[in-house]
Amino acid sequence: MRPAKVILYEVGPRDGLQAETEIVSAADKIALIDTLSASGLKYIEAASFVSPKWVPQMADAAEVMAGITRAPGVTYPVLTPNLKGYESAKDARATTVAIFGAASETFSQRNINCSVAESLDRFTFIMEESASDRIKVRGYVSTVIACPYEGPVKPQAVAEMARKMLDIGCYEISLGDTIGVGTPADVSRLLDTVLKVIPPEKLAVHFHDTYGQALANILTSLDYGIATIDSSVGGLGGCPYAPGASGNVATEDVLYMLTGMGINTGVDLDAIVAAAWQISDVLGRPPRSKVAVAKGRP
Ligand code: HMG
Ligand code: MG
C-alpha cells in the first residue's frame, strides 16, 4: 500500500514566507526559488495573488514570478482566492494555480472573507476561466482536523468539501491540518472517510508541525497510499489567519525519512539543506528542522 515514489510539493516560498513577520525581499524569494529549482523538486509553490492588505508578505507575487528562472519540468503554482487573483496569476504566466477553501465556516470567513458555499461559487468562476486557458487548478481544503475558532472538524465535512472541489475540476486536493494539531489517530479517521469518496492518487497531505506530529501523520498517510506530500524548506510556515499555527513540516525532514524508507522522490537532500540555510540566514535564525541543524551549514 505504501507508495514506492512520492511527489514532494514544496510550499516554503508561499506558505512559509507568507507567515514570517519580517517581509522577505523579492530578490531573496527569487534566490530561494532558484536554489530549490536545482534540487530535483517538481513543484515549488512560488507566491499568492491575494489581497496585499490581507497578506502584505505576498504583495510582490508578480515580481517574484517574473524574476525566477523557470527550470524545465518544474511547475511553479500560485494561490488564487478569486478571479482577480486568477487574472494576475495568468498575467504572471502561471501554469498551475491553487484555490483554497476550508472545512469549517469560521475559518473560511476569517481567511477568505466568505462562507464555504460562497467560496465554491468564487472557485467555479476560476474553473470556468482556467479550463479555456489550460491552466491546472489544485484545491486545498484547510482545517481538516480542527479549526482554530470552532475546534474539532468532522471528517465527513472534509470529505464533502474535498469532493466538491474535485467535482468542479481540481486535479488534486491537498488536505491541510492548518494548525498542526492532528495525531495519527485523527489522520486515520480522516482518511478512512475521505478515501471513500476520493482515490488516494487525487489526494495530497499538508501538515503543519505545531505539535510535532507531522512526520508521524505523513507515515500514516503513506500507509493509506497517499503519494503527494506538501512540505516547506527549513520548516518555514504558518498561516496568518490561524493563530498559533507553526511552520509546515520541513522538506528536509520528510526527505530524510522517505529516503531512509527506500521511497524515491528524485530530490537531493543536500540541495534542500543548502536552501534551508540560505533562507534562514535571510531571516536571521537557524532552520526549524532537525535535519538541516544536524547536517549543519553547508
Ligand atoms: P475581500 O476584502 O472580501 O475582497 O477579501 P474584495 O473583493 O471585497 O476586495 C477588497 C479589496 O481587495 C479591493 O481593493 C480589491 O481590489 C482587493 P481596494 O478597492 O480596497 O483597494 N483584492 C485583491 N487584491 C489583490 N489580489 C486579489 C484581490 N482580491 C481582492 N486576489 C480576499 C477577499 C479573498 C481577497 C482576501 O480575504 C484575501 O486575500 N485572503 C487571502 C488570505 C490568505 O492568503 N491566507 C493564507 C493562504 S491559505 C493557507 O495558508 C492555508 C493553506 O496553506 C492550507 C492549510 O495549511 O490548511 C493553503
Ligand atoms: Mg498551510
Side-chain angles (χ1 to χ4, degrees), residues 128-170:
E128 282 165 5
E129 292 291 314
S130 64
S132 53
D133 295 335
R134 294 178 179 268
I135 289 179
K136 286 174 73 180
V137 183
R138 182 181 217 231
Y140 281 102
V141 179
S142 284
T143 60
V144 299
I145 306 281
C147 168
Y149 311 104
E150 293 177 21
V153 168
K154 288 195 171 67
Q156 193 55 38
V158 180
E160 280 167 22
M161 183 60 173
R163 187 64 241 180
K164 282 178 186 161
M165 289 180 74
L166 205 61
D167 287 343
I168 61 171
C170 291

mmCIF file of all heavy atoms in Angstrom, residues 128-170:
data_model
loop_
_atom_site.group_PDB
_atom_site.id
_atom_site.type_symbol
_atom_site.label_atom_id
_atom_site.label_comp_id
_atom_site.label_asym_id
_atom_site.label_seq_id
_atom_site.Cartn_x
_atom_site.Cartn_y
_atom_site.Cartn_z
ATOM 1 N N GLU A 128 -14.019 28.055 -14.635
ATOM 2 C CA GLU A 128 -14.501 28.310 -15.998
ATOM 3 C C GLU A 128 -13.395 28.945 -16.834
ATOM 4 O O GLU A 128 -13.161 28.567 -17.978
ATOM 5 C CB GLU A 128 -15.738 29.219 -15.963
ATOM 6 C CG GLU A 128 -16.989 28.458 -15.568
ATOM 7 C CD GLU A 128 -18.145 29.366 -15.163
ATOM 8 O OE1 GLU A 128 -18.016 30.609 -15.269
ATOM 9 O OE2 GLU A 128 -19.177 28.809 -14.715
ATOM 10 N N GLU A 129 -12.702 29.912 -16.244
ATOM 11 C CA GLU A 129 -11.608 30.585 -16.966
ATOM 12 C C GLU A 129 -10.441 29.633 -17.215
ATOM 13 O O GLU A 129 -9.882 29.590 -18.309
ATOM 14 C CB GLU A 129 -11.086 31.776 -16.142
ATOM 15 C CG GLU A 129 -12.060 32.905 -16.001
ATOM 16 C CD GLU A 129 -12.302 33.625 -17.317
ATOM 17 O OE1 GLU A 129 -11.319 33.916 -17.997
ATOM 18 O OE2 GLU A 129 -13.474 33.879 -17.644
ATOM 19 N N SER A 130 -10.070 28.902 -16.161
ATOM 20 C CA SER A 130 -8.854 28.089 -16.250
ATOM 21 C C SER A 130 -9.000 26.966 -17.277
ATOM 22 O O SER A 130 -8.030 26.593 -17.925
ATOM 23 C CB SER A 130 -8.493 27.511 -14.888
ATOM 24 O OG SER A 130 -9.501 26.624 -14.476
ATOM 25 N N ALA A 131 -10.234 26.479 -17.446
ATOM 26 C CA ALA A 131 -10.436 25.392 -18.413
ATOM 27 C C ALA A 131 -10.077 25.869 -19.814
ATOM 28 O O ALA A 131 -9.357 25.173 -20.547
ATOM 29 C CB ALA A 131 -11.880 24.908 -18.351
ATOM 30 N N SER A 132 -10.533 27.084 -20.180
ATOM 31 C CA SER A 132 -10.214 27.550 -21.533
ATOM 32 C C SER A 132 -8.758 28.020 -21.638
ATOM 33 O O SER A 132 -8.172 27.989 -22.711
ATOM 34 C CB SER A 132 -11.188 28.641 -21.980
ATOM 35 O OG SER A 132 -11.230 29.653 -21.027
ATOM 36 N N ASP A 133 -8.157 28.419 -20.512
ATOM 37 C CA ASP A 133 -6.748 28.849 -20.550
ATOM 38 C C ASP A 133 -5.783 27.664 -20.428
ATOM 39 O O ASP A 133 -4.566 27.846 -20.472
ATOM 40 C CB ASP A 133 -6.452 29.798 -19.370
ATOM 41 C CG ASP A 133 -7.222 31.102 -19.476
ATOM 42 O OD1 ASP A 133 -7.578 31.489 -20.601
ATOM 43 O OD2 ASP A 133 -7.466 31.726 -18.421
ATOM 44 N N ARG A 134 -6.319 26.486 -20.195
ATOM 45 C CA ARG A 134 -5.496 25.282 -19.960
ATOM 46 C C ARG A 134 -4.535 25.482 -18.785
ATOM 47 O O ARG A 134 -3.371 25.081 -18.828
ATOM 48 C CB ARG A 134 -4.719 24.880 -21.212
ATOM 49 C CG ARG A 134 -5.644 24.440 -22.330
ATOM 50 C CD ARG A 134 -4.874 24.100 -23.574
ATOM 51 N NE ARG A 134 -5.802 23.668 -24.616
ATOM 52 C CZ ARG A 134 -6.149 22.410 -24.831
ATOM 53 N NH1 ARG A 134 -5.678 21.447 -24.080
ATOM 54 N NH2 ARG A 134 -6.995 22.114 -25.792
ATOM 55 N N ILE A 135 -5.038 26.117 -17.755
ATOM 56 C CA ILE A 135 -4.270 26.268 -16.514
ATOM 57 C C ILE A 135 -4.825 25.253 -15.516
ATOM 58 O O ILE A 135 -6.045 25.159 -15.330
ATOM 59 C CB ILE A 135 -4.382 27.721 -15.982
ATOM 60 C CG1 ILE A 135 -3.583 28.652 -16.911
ATOM 61 C CG2 ILE A 135 -3.914 27.834 -14.544
ATOM 62 C CD1 ILE A 135 -3.605 30.120 -16.535
ATOM 63 N N LYS A 136 -3.928 24.468 -14.907
ATOM 64 C CA LYS A 136 -4.375 23.441 -13.964
ATOM 65 C C LYS A 136 -4.692 24.074 -12.603
ATOM 66 O O LYS A 136 -4.073 25.077 -12.221
ATOM 67 C CB LYS A 136 -3.287 22.384 -13.777
ATOM 68 C CG LYS A 136 -3.155 21.449 -14.982
ATOM 69 C CD LYS A 136 -1.968 20.518 -14.825
ATOM 70 C CE LYS A 136 -2.231 19.435 -13.786
ATOM 71 N NZ LYS A 136 -1.074 18.515 -13.640
ATOM 72 N N VAL A 137 -5.648 23.475 -11.913
ATOM 73 C CA VAL A 137 -6.046 24.026 -10.617
ATOM 74 C C VAL A 137 -5.941 22.961 -9.522
ATOM 75 O O VAL A 137 -6.555 21.893 -9.606
ATOM 76 C CB VAL A 137 -7.488 24.582 -10.658
ATOM 77 C CG1 VAL A 137 -7.845 25.224 -9.317
ATOM 78 C CG2 VAL A 137 -7.648 25.599 -11.786
ATOM 79 N N ARG A 138 -5.143 23.283 -8.522
ATOM 80 C CA ARG A 138 -5.044 22.430 -7.334
ATOM 81 C C ARG A 138 -6.045 22.967 -6.317
ATOM 82 O O ARG A 138 -6.293 24.169 -6.263
ATOM 83 C CB ARG A 138 -3.623 22.529 -6.785
ATOM 84 C CG ARG A 138 -3.365 21.657 -5.587
ATOM 85 C CD ARG A 138 -1.935 21.823 -5.089
ATOM 86 N NE ARG A 138 -1.399 20.551 -4.628
ATOM 87 C CZ ARG A 138 -0.811 20.363 -3.444
ATOM 88 N NH1 ARG A 138 -0.677 21.367 -2.607
ATOM 89 N NH2 ARG A 138 -0.354 19.181 -3.090
ATOM 90 N N GLY A 139 -6.578 22.103 -5.472
ATOM 91 C CA GLY A 139 -7.501 22.566 -4.438
ATOM 92 C C GLY A 139 -6.964 22.254 -3.053
ATOM 93 O O GLY A 139 -6.469 21.151 -2.809
ATOM 94 N N TYR A 140 -7.040 23.244 -2.187
ATOM 95 C CA TYR A 140 -6.703 22.999 -0.781
ATOM 96 C C TYR A 140 -7.990 22.970 0.026
ATOM 97 O O TYR A 140 -8.865 23.826 -0.165
ATOM 98 C CB TYR A 140 -5.880 24.150 -0.207
ATOM 99 C CG TYR A 140 -4.412 24.162 -0.544
ATOM 100 C CD1 TYR A 140 -3.917 25.009 -1.521
ATOM 101 C CD2 TYR A 140 -3.513 23.373 0.158
ATOM 102 C CE1 TYR A 140 -2.553 25.053 -1.804
ATOM 103 C CE2 TYR A 140 -2.148 23.415 -0.118
ATOM 104 C CZ TYR A 140 -1.677 24.250 -1.090
ATOM 105 O OH TYR A 140 -0.338 24.306 -1.371
ATOM 106 N N VAL A 141 -8.069 22.036 0.964
ATOM 107 C CA VAL A 141 -9.098 22.117 1.998
ATOM 108 C C VAL A 141 -8.361 22.318 3.320
ATOM 109 O O VAL A 141 -7.533 21.483 3.708
ATOM 110 C CB VAL A 141 -9.967 20.846 2.063
ATOM 111 C CG1 VAL A 141 -11.014 20.981 3.169
ATOM 112 C CG2 VAL A 141 -10.655 20.579 0.724
ATOM 113 N N SER A 142 -8.613 23.442 3.960
ATOM 114 C CA SER A 142 -7.984 23.728 5.256
ATOM 115 C C SER A 142 -8.830 23.188 6.397
ATOM 116 O O SER A 142 -9.981 22.810 6.199
ATOM 117 C CB SER A 142 -7.830 25.241 5.440
ATOM 118 O OG SER A 142 -6.777 25.732 4.666
ATOM 119 N N THR A 143 -8.243 23.218 7.569
ATOM 120 C CA THR A 143 -8.886 22.800 8.829
ATOM 121 C C THR A 143 -9.471 21.392 8.728
ATOM 122 O O THR A 143 -10.593 21.139 9.140
ATOM 123 C CB THR A 143 -9.987 23.807 9.283
ATOM 124 O OG1 THR A 143 -11.009 23.904 8.266
ATOM 125 C CG2 THR A 143 -9.416 25.175 9.550
ATOM 126 N N VAL A 144 -8.678 20.459 8.209
ATOM 127 C CA VAL A 144 -9.219 19.101 8.017
ATOM 128 C C VAL A 144 -9.289 18.309 9.322
ATOM 129 O O VAL A 144 -9.993 17.294 9.389
ATOM 130 C CB VAL A 144 -8.426 18.307 6.947
ATOM 131 C CG1 VAL A 144 -8.495 18.982 5.588
ATOM 132 C CG2 VAL A 144 -6.988 18.039 7.357
ATOM 133 N N ILE A 145 -8.558 18.764 10.340
ATOM 134 C CA ILE A 145 -8.632 18.073 11.638
ATOM 135 C C ILE A 145 -9.369 18.964 12.648
ATOM 136 O O ILE A 145 -10.244 18.504 13.373
ATOM 137 C CB ILE A 145 -7.219 17.767 12.203
ATOM 138 C CG1 ILE A 145 -6.365 16.997 11.177
ATOM 139 C CG2 ILE A 145 -7.310 17.058 13.552
ATOM 140 C CD1 ILE A 145 -6.629 15.526 11.054
ATOM 141 N N ALA A 146 -8.974 20.226 12.677
ATOM 142 C CA ALA A 146 -9.601 21.147 13.634
ATOM 143 C C ALA A 146 -9.505 22.566 13.098
ATOM 144 O O ALA A 146 -8.629 22.887 12.309
ATOM 145 C CB ALA A 146 -8.905 21.055 14.994
ATOM 146 N N CYS A 147 -10.437 23.384 13.568
ATOM 147 C CA CYS A 147 -10.488 24.793 13.194
ATOM 148 C C CYS A 147 -10.000 25.605 14.401
ATOM 149 O O CYS A 147 -10.362 25.288 15.539
ATOM 150 C CB CYS A 147 -11.948 25.148 12.880
ATOM 151 S SG CYS A 147 -12.255 26.917 12.744
ATOM 152 N N PRO A 148 -9.184 26.635 14.182
ATOM 153 C CA PRO A 148 -8.700 27.420 15.326
ATOM 154 C C PRO A 148 -9.816 28.142 16.060
ATOM 155 O O PRO A 148 -9.640 28.567 17.202
ATOM 156 C CB PRO A 148 -7.734 28.423 14.689
ATOM 157 C CG PRO A 148 -8.046 28.446 13.231
ATOM 158 C CD PRO A 148 -8.648 27.115 12.901
ATOM 159 N N TYR A 149 -10.981 28.295 15.430
ATOM 160 C CA TYR A 149 -12.095 29.033 16.050
ATOM 161 C C TYR A 149 -13.207 28.101 16.532
ATOM 162 O O TYR A 149 -13.884 28.389 17.494
ATOM 163 C CB TYR A 149 -12.659 30.050 15.046
ATOM 164 C CG TYR A 149 -11.577 30.882 14.396
ATOM 165 C CD1 TYR A 149 -11.165 30.636 13.090
ATOM 166 C CD2 TYR A 149 -10.926 31.899 15.114
ATOM 167 C CE1 TYR A 149 -10.147 31.394 12.499
ATOM 168 C CE2 TYR A 149 -9.910 32.647 14.533
ATOM 169 C CZ TYR A 149 -9.529 32.392 13.229
ATOM 170 O OH TYR A 149 -8.524 33.122 12.660
ATOM 171 N N GLU A 150 -13.403 26.977 15.820
ATOM 172 C CA GLU A 150 -14.551 26.103 16.126
ATOM 173 C C GLU A 150 -14.175 24.789 16.799
ATOM 174 O O GLU A 150 -15.048 24.051 17.230
ATOM 175 C CB GLU A 150 -15.308 25.757 14.828
ATOM 176 C CG GLU A 150 -15.985 26.937 14.181
ATOM 177 C CD GLU A 150 -16.655 26.560 12.852
ATOM 178 O OE1 GLU A 150 -16.946 25.375 12.612
ATOM 179 O OE2 GLU A 150 -16.858 27.480 12.033
ATOM 180 N N GLY A 151 -12.878 24.449 16.834
ATOM 181 C CA GLY A 151 -12.465 23.169 17.416
ATOM 182 C C GLY A 151 -12.532 22.037 16.406
ATOM 183 O O GLY A 151 -12.445 22.271 15.199
ATOM 184 N N PRO A 152 -12.716 20.779 16.900
ATOM 185 C CA PRO A 152 -12.639 19.613 16.017
ATOM 186 C C PRO A 152 -13.593 19.695 14.827
ATOM 187 O O PRO A 152 -14.714 20.186 14.946
ATOM 188 C CB PRO A 152 -13.038 18.445 16.922
ATOM 189 C CG PRO A 152 -12.739 18.921 18.304
ATOM 190 C CD PRO A 152 -12.935 20.413 18.294
ATOM 191 N N VAL A 153 -13.105 19.228 13.683
ATOM 192 C CA VAL A 153 -13.894 19.251 12.443
ATOM 193 C C VAL A 153 -14.223 17.810 12.069
ATOM 194 O O VAL A 153 -13.374 16.920 12.168
ATOM 195 C CB VAL A 153 -13.073 19.936 11.324
ATOM 196 C CG1 VAL A 153 -13.707 19.738 9.959
ATOM 197 C CG2 VAL A 153 -12.911 21.429 11.635
ATOM 198 N N LYS A 154 -15.458 17.576 11.660
ATOM 199 C CA LYS A 154 -15.876 16.203 11.335
ATOM 200 C C LYS A 154 -15.260 15.758 10.004
ATOM 201 O O LYS A 154 -15.336 16.494 9.008
ATOM 202 C CB LYS A 154 -17.400 16.133 11.210
ATOM 203 C CG LYS A 154 -18.126 16.255 12.529
ATOM 204 C CD LYS A 154 -19.593 15.799 12.361
ATOM 205 C CE LYS A 154 -20.289 15.712 13.694
ATOM 206 N NZ LYS A 154 -20.479 17.031 14.340
ATOM 207 N N PRO A 155 -14.691 14.548 9.946
ATOM 208 C CA PRO A 155 -14.148 14.038 8.681
ATOM 209 C C PRO A 155 -15.158 14.115 7.541
ATOM 210 O O PRO A 155 -14.800 14.374 6.396
ATOM 211 C CB PRO A 155 -13.786 12.585 9.011
ATOM 212 C CG PRO A 155 -13.500 12.603 10.480
ATOM 213 C CD PRO A 155 -14.448 13.616 11.060
ATOM 214 N N GLN A 156 -16.434 13.933 7.858
ATOM 215 C CA GLN A 156 -17.454 13.984 6.805
ATOM 216 C C GLN A 156 -17.524 15.368 6.144
ATOM 217 O O GLN A 156 -17.705 15.469 4.929
ATOM 218 C CB GLN A 156 -18.821 13.603 7.430
ATOM 219 C CG GLN A 156 -19.913 13.305 6.419
ATOM 220 C CD GLN A 156 -19.524 12.225 5.397
ATOM 221 O OE1 GLN A 156 -18.864 11.254 5.753
ATOM 222 N NE2 GLN A 156 -19.906 12.418 4.142
ATOM 223 N N ALA A 157 -17.338 16.415 6.941
ATOM 224 C CA ALA A 157 -17.360 17.776 6.378
ATOM 225 C C ALA A 157 -16.177 17.969 5.438
ATOM 226 O O ALA A 157 -16.289 18.624 4.395
ATOM 227 C CB ALA A 157 -17.307 18.814 7.514
ATOM 228 N N VAL A 158 -15.047 17.373 5.793
ATOM 229 C CA VAL A 158 -13.855 17.472 4.942
ATOM 230 C C VAL A 158 -14.094 16.714 3.634
ATOM 231 O O VAL A 158 -13.819 17.217 2.537
ATOM 232 C CB VAL A 158 -12.621 16.885 5.670
ATOM 233 C CG1 VAL A 158 -11.384 16.977 4.778
ATOM 234 C CG2 VAL A 158 -12.396 17.579 7.004
ATOM 235 N N ALA A 159 -14.631 15.498 3.774
ATOM 236 C CA ALA A 159 -14.867 14.663 2.580
ATOM 237 C C ALA A 159 -15.813 15.378 1.622
ATOM 238 O O ALA A 159 -15.588 15.379 0.403
ATOM 239 C CB ALA A 159 -15.436 13.309 3.003
ATOM 240 N N GLU A 160 -16.840 16.026 2.166
ATOM 241 C CA GLU A 160 -17.819 16.710 1.297
ATOM 242 C C GLU A 160 -17.167 17.881 0.564
ATOM 243 O O GLU A 160 -17.346 18.052 -0.638
ATOM 244 C CB GLU A 160 -19.019 17.195 2.122
ATOM 245 C CG GLU A 160 -20.004 16.070 2.387
ATOM 246 C CD GLU A 160 -21.027 16.417 3.459
ATOM 247 O OE1 GLU A 160 -21.262 17.624 3.720
ATOM 248 O OE2 GLU A 160 -21.581 15.457 4.052
ATOM 249 N N MET A 161 -16.401 18.700 1.300
ATOM 250 C CA MET A 161 -15.759 19.857 0.662
ATOM 251 C C MET A 161 -14.725 19.390 -0.364
ATOM 252 O O MET A 161 -14.646 19.931 -1.470
ATOM 253 C CB MET A 161 -15.098 20.727 1.740
ATOM 254 C CG MET A 161 -14.471 21.992 1.216
ATOM 255 S SD MET A 161 -15.695 23.068 0.406
ATOM 256 C CE MET A 161 -14.705 24.529 0.088
ATOM 257 N N ALA A 162 -13.946 18.392 0.000
ATOM 258 C CA ALA A 162 -12.905 17.897 -0.920
ATOM 259 C C ALA A 162 -13.550 17.355 -2.195
ATOM 260 O O ALA A 162 -13.090 17.631 -3.305
ATOM 261 C CB ALA A 162 -12.074 16.820 -0.231
ATOM 262 N N ARG A 163 -14.628 16.616 -2.033
ATOM 263 C CA ARG A 163 -15.293 16.035 -3.212
ATOM 264 C C ARG A 163 -15.861 17.145 -4.102
ATOM 265 O O ARG A 163 -15.759 17.087 -5.326
ATOM 266 C CB ARG A 163 -16.397 15.080 -2.725
ATOM 267 C CG ARG A 163 -17.088 14.251 -3.771
ATOM 268 C CD ARG A 163 -16.167 13.274 -4.473
ATOM 269 N NE ARG A 163 -16.096 13.555 -5.886
ATOM 270 C CZ ARG A 163 -15.361 12.875 -6.768
ATOM 271 N NH1 ARG A 163 -14.616 11.863 -6.395
ATOM 272 N NH2 ARG A 163 -15.354 13.196 -8.027
ATOM 273 N N LYS A 164 -16.441 18.179 -3.468
ATOM 274 C CA LYS A 164 -16.998 19.293 -4.259
ATOM 275 C C LYS A 164 -15.884 19.993 -5.042
ATOM 276 O O LYS A 164 -16.069 20.359 -6.207
ATOM 277 C CB LYS A 164 -17.698 20.317 -3.347
ATOM 278 C CG LYS A 164 -19.072 19.843 -2.903
ATOM 279 C CD LYS A 164 -19.722 20.840 -1.969
ATOM 280 C CE LYS A 164 -21.018 20.272 -1.417
ATOM 281 N NZ LYS A 164 -21.466 20.947 -0.201
ATOM 282 N N MET A 165 -14.736 20.179 -4.412
ATOM 283 C CA MET A 165 -13.637 20.876 -5.099
ATOM 284 C C MET A 165 -13.076 20.024 -6.242
ATOM 285 O O MET A 165 -12.694 20.536 -7.289
ATOM 286 C CB MET A 165 -12.553 21.296 -4.107
ATOM 287 C CG MET A 165 -13.053 22.440 -3.218
ATOM 288 S SD MET A 165 -11.880 23.030 -2.003
ATOM 289 C CE MET A 165 -10.737 23.944 -3.006
ATOM 290 N N LEU A 166 -13.083 18.729 -6.033
ATOM 291 C CA LEU A 166 -12.660 17.835 -7.127
ATOM 292 C C LEU A 166 -13.687 17.875 -8.263
ATOM 293 O O LEU A 166 -13.332 17.939 -9.444
ATOM 294 C CB LEU A 166 -12.522 16.415 -6.573
ATOM 295 C CG LEU A 166 -11.593 15.470 -7.300
ATOM 296 C CD1 LEU A 166 -10.155 15.983 -7.312
ATOM 297 C CD2 LEU A 166 -11.621 14.095 -6.631
ATOM 298 N N ASP A 167 -14.958 17.884 -7.887
ATOM 299 C CA ASP A 167 -16.018 17.858 -8.900
ATOM 300 C C ASP A 167 -16.042 19.128 -9.760
ATOM 301 O O ASP A 167 -16.434 19.072 -10.917
ATOM 302 C CB ASP A 167 -17.401 17.658 -8.245
ATOM 303 C CG ASP A 167 -17.572 16.236 -7.742
ATOM 304 O OD1 ASP A 167 -16.791 15.356 -8.169
ATOM 305 O OD2 ASP A 167 -18.487 16.004 -6.916
ATOM 306 N N ILE A 168 -15.628 20.260 -9.195
ATOM 307 C CA ILE A 168 -15.622 21.471 -10.039
ATOM 308 C C ILE A 168 -14.383 21.520 -10.927
ATOM 309 O O ILE A 168 -14.229 22.420 -11.734
ATOM 310 C CB ILE A 168 -15.796 22.791 -9.239
ATOM 311 C CG1 ILE A 168 -14.657 22.998 -8.232
ATOM 312 C CG2 ILE A 168 -17.148 22.846 -8.556
ATOM 313 C CD1 ILE A 168 -14.678 24.387 -7.574
ATOM 314 N N GLY A 169 -13.444 20.586 -10.737
ATOM 315 C CA GLY A 169 -12.352 20.485 -11.707
ATOM 316 C C GLY A 169 -10.933 20.525 -11.176
ATOM 317 O O GLY A 169 -9.993 20.564 -11.973
ATOM 318 N N CYS A 170 -10.754 20.509 -9.860
ATOM 319 C CA CYS A 170 -9.374 20.468 -9.353
ATOM 320 C C CYS A 170 -8.732 19.142 -9.749
ATOM 321 O O CYS A 170 -9.392 18.107 -9.755
ATOM 322 C CB CYS A 170 -9.359 20.585 -7.829
ATOM 323 S SG CYS A 170 -9.855 22.203 -7.234
#
